[in-house]
Amino acid sequence: MFKAINNDNLELILYILKQNNCCYYCQDSEGNTVLHLLIQYYEDCQDIQIHFDKLLDTDCSYFINTQNNLGQTVALLAVMNDLDDLDDKLINCGADPTIEDYNGNFIESKINQNSIQSSDLDLDLNNTDFDTQSIDNSNQVLSEFNEDSSLS
């Protein structure tokens, strides 16, 4: 499989995947598993997406958090490549979003860099504690201003 991926032979990659003849916990010389390397095809190849979906419906616990030589997990690579739907699927399958790579990146930090978190937008719309004294003072000033304006 690694040779097919290194040669960018998508036809052979798909053939091997369909034969279910793939070791998902095996790593190449850079520590990448097959899933690490298949990330590059995920967005453009529906067959790869289908394979990921089928695989993630099984027990992936023995390889889902495998880190390559840079400390990157498949889920972190998904986030780094803006594959948010795949990242969600991986996390739902048991990928640990707190695993850091060797540069200190982890899923939560990459998401924070790419988007505004809903917690940043927390507005208490039920808070009705207004400073009524300030409102009354403002109304008084406005009323006096209007009286002065009408006299001139």
Side-chain angles (χ1 to χ4, degrees):
M1 176 60 97
F2 291 116
K3 189 173 183 179
I5 293 172
N6 288 336
N7 290 329
D8 203 26
N9 187 339
L10 187 57
E11 187 176 317
L12 182 57
I13 293 167
L14 293 173
Y15 175 79
I16 293 169
L17 291 174
K18 287 177 183 172
Q19 298 301 311
N20 292 318
N21 192 15
C22 189
C23 173
Y24 293 104
Y25 56 86
C26 296
Q27 294 176 278
D28 68 7
S29 61
E30 295 175 3
N32 293 307
T33 65
V34 169
L35 295 181
H36 282 91
L37 299 172
L38 289 178
I39 290 285
Q40 64 186 316
Y41 300 103
Y42 184 83
E43 193 168 41
D44 298 324
C45 182
Q46 187 175 15
D47 288 335
I48 297 289
Q49 293 172 17
I50 291 168
H51 185 75
F52 262 98
D53 289 346
K54 286 180 182 177
L55 180 64
L56 295 177
D57 283 338
T58 66
D59 179 17
C60 304
S61 60
Y62 62 99
F63 63 83
I64 197 72
N65 289 311
T66 303
Q67 293 175 274
N68 63 16
N69 293 353
L70 299 175
Q72 299 163 329
T73 62
V74 175
L76 180 57
L77 284 176
V79 170
M80 294 172 90
N81 287 284
D82 296 323
L83 301 173
D84 297 331
D85 63 320
L86 176 58
D87 175 54
D88 291 341
K89 291 175 186 178
L90 289 162
I91 289 174
N92 288 335
C93 184
D96 183 349
T98 64
I99 295 176
E100 292 186 23
D101 70 8
Y102 301 137
N103 290 321
N105 297 311
F106 59 100
I107 292 172
E108 303 275 331
S109 70
K110 297 308 281 183
I111 291 171
N112 288 340
Q113 289 174 7
N114 294 331
S115 65
I116 298 173
Q117 297 300 301
S118 62
S119 62
D120 294 338
L121 301 174
D122 261 351
L123 301 175
D124 187 2
L125 299 177
N126 296 320
N127 184 359
T128 57
D129 295 335
F130 297 109
D131 182 357
T132 56
Q133 183 64 41
S134 293
I135 294 172
D136 289 342
N137 289 344
S138 297
N139 286 338
Q140 178 66 33
V141 168
L142 184 59
S143 176
E144 290 171 6
F145 174 77
N146 286 335
E147 286 176 15
D148 289 345
S149 296
S150 66
L151 295 176
S152 22

